[in-house]
Amino acid sequence: MTAQSEPAVPAVPADDFTAARAVLAEERQELVSRIASLSRDVDVIIEASQDVSTDDEHDPDGATIAYERAQVAALLEQARSHLADCDLAQERLAAGTYGVCERCGGTIGAARLEARPAARTCITCAAARPA
């Protein structure tokens, strides 16, 4: 049995957590607004599709509406996933583990956290992750 190492010291000093909290809160608010907007877009597309023939094979608008619906649904899922990442980052801030790579336990660099405040892994682990 191998000894478990202690987690790395967070990359962000405690006094910088305030800035990280503010950035994450702002990003979260933007995501909540984007999700609301995309949800309205889905509703509009669904409403519009009720006025279109259900015969996608012979109705050129049917394929277009299906494509738009799939595209907006994908954007909505992406925004929801990013919102979950922001919420997890806020939990890591509260727990004192913000800036610690979830994969290797090393430090997530300040530049990476600045570029991706909700980053869960260091750049090395992110690059090693299969596509």
Side-chain angles (χ1 to χ4, degrees):
M1 185 192 288
T2 61
Q4 226 176 4
S5 61
E6 292 189 30
V9 175
V12 180
D15 57 340
D16 287 347
F17 281 168
T18 303
R21 278 189 188 90
V23 168
L24 286 166
E26 181 179 338
E27 194 165 330
R28 187 181 196 291
Q29 184 56 44
E30 289 172 8
L31 287 164
V32 168
S33 294
R34 186 180 315 149
I35 288 168
S37 176
L38 289 168
S39 294
R40 286 189 300 272
D41 290 349
V42 168
D43 293 342
V44 167
I45 292 169
I46 290 171
E47 186 177 319
S49 69
Q50 293 173 352
D51 298 332
V52 176
S53 170
T54 57
D55 183 8
D56 286 351
E57 184 177 336
H58 298 100
D59 183 3
D61 288 338
T64 302
I65 290 172
Y67 172 79
E68 288 176 4
R69 185 175 179 179
Q71 185 178 26
V72 172
L75 290 171
L76 184 58
E77 179 56 34
Q78 181 183 31
R80 285 178 176 154
S81 176
H82 191 66
L83 179 63
D85 287 343
C86 284
D87 288 344
L88 288 172
Q90 288 177 325
E91 289 175 17
R92 289 192 305 276
L93 273 165
T97 58
Y98 184 74
V100 176
C101 178
E102 290 183 352
R103 190 165 181 204
C104 71
T107 300
I108 300 174
R112 177 159 169 78
L113 289 173
E114 185 176 331
R116 296 182 50 97
R120 297 164 55 171
T121 57
C122 65
I123 195 72
T124 303
C125 290
R129 189 174 73 191

